[in-house]
Structure formats: structure tokens, C-alpha cells
Amino acid sequence: MAGCEGKSDTMAVDPGGGFEFELLGPARMEGASSKVLWRPGPINVALQRAARTRLNHEASLADVAQALQSRYQNGEVDGELQTSACRLAGVPAQCFVGAIRRGGRESIRRGWIVEGADELVLLEVIGDASATEEVNEQVDLIGSTMHWTET
């Protein structure tokens, strides 16, 4: 991957060039710039980008978080999700924490929604309920090692 020479195998580098952070362990990166997945052990770290369009250009981070939360409230997603204003490496964000149930299994979901250059960025850590400790450790590690490479 261009721009990643010399990075450790536990460093997650945003292919879009916006940020980098440490992972709990070595991880394979999958995907392209709009959807990326790192798999460090029993958890996944997912990055999704959504371009700002004429339909969402005025939506605040709180509006976006509320739209995500409403998918749970409306029954589109089986589970719970709570959102709140927060900061990620000094940048305003909306944090979220919740659970998703599928096929009798429960997954834990924690992450952030932040503004990018003309886009919204969702960064989340997901794992089975049995990996809750690893999910929480990875969230803490992202919070303490996130480095913005673009402002």
C-alpha cells in the first residue's frame, strides 16, 4: 500500500490519508478507500466513508448519529445503540456503543462518526460478545494512538 512503507504491522493507516492508529495485534487490511476492514484477532475494525451530498450536506454529526440510532429504534437492526457527543484525538465526533443480534449471536459495536473533507467517516470496532474485553481495549487504543495526518 502506498504511503505505508516503514509502518509496523500493528499500525492501521487510512488509505484515504486522513489518519493512523495502533491495532491490538497484526491485522490484514481488506477493502478500498471507502470501506476498509482490519482484523486484529477476534475483532474487526471497520472504516466507512460517505460523501457529503446535496441530501446530507447540512446534517450535523448528531443528525447522522441519530439516523444510525433510528435504524435500531425502527427495528431495521436488531439490537441497541446509544450515541453521544465526544472527541476523537481532539476532533469533534459522535461516539456510539451498542449491540447487534443476528442468528442467535450478539456482537458488540463501539465507534465514532467524524467529519472528513467533504465526507462523513464512521470508524468502529466490532466483536462477538465473548470478545467484549478486546473490543474495549481496541477502542481505548484507538483513542490513545489516533494521529490525524490531514486536517
Side-chain angles (χ1 to χ4, degrees), residues 19-83:
F19 54 83
E20 57 189 29
F21 56 86
E22 287 287 330
L23 295 166
L24 287 175
R28 180 179 74 243
M29 186 182 101
E30 302 172 8
S33 62
S34 64
K35 289 187 179 182
V36 179
L37 186 68
W38 293 273
R39 298 179 186 270
I43 62 173
N44 294 318
V45 179
L47 165 70
Q48 293 184 47
R49 288 186 152 79
R52 285 288 196 173
T53 67
R54 63 180 179 80
L55 299 175
N56 68 13
H57 75 279
E58 292 185 12
S60 68
L61 290 175
D63 293 338
V64 175
Q66 178 57 46
L68 181 61
Q69 191 174 32
S70 72
R71 295 187 63 217
Y72 287 77
Q73 294 167 339
N74 296 336
E76 292 175 52
V77 178
D78 184 15
E80 306 85 36
L81 189 76
Q82 297 173 342
T83 64

Side-chain angles (χ1 to χ4, degrees), residues 4 9 26 47 51 55 60 62 87 119-121 134 146:
C4 294
D9 61 354
L47 165 70
L55 299 175
S60 68
R87 296 185 79 76
E119 65 186 359
L120 297 164
V121 178
E134 289 91 342
M146 174 66 77

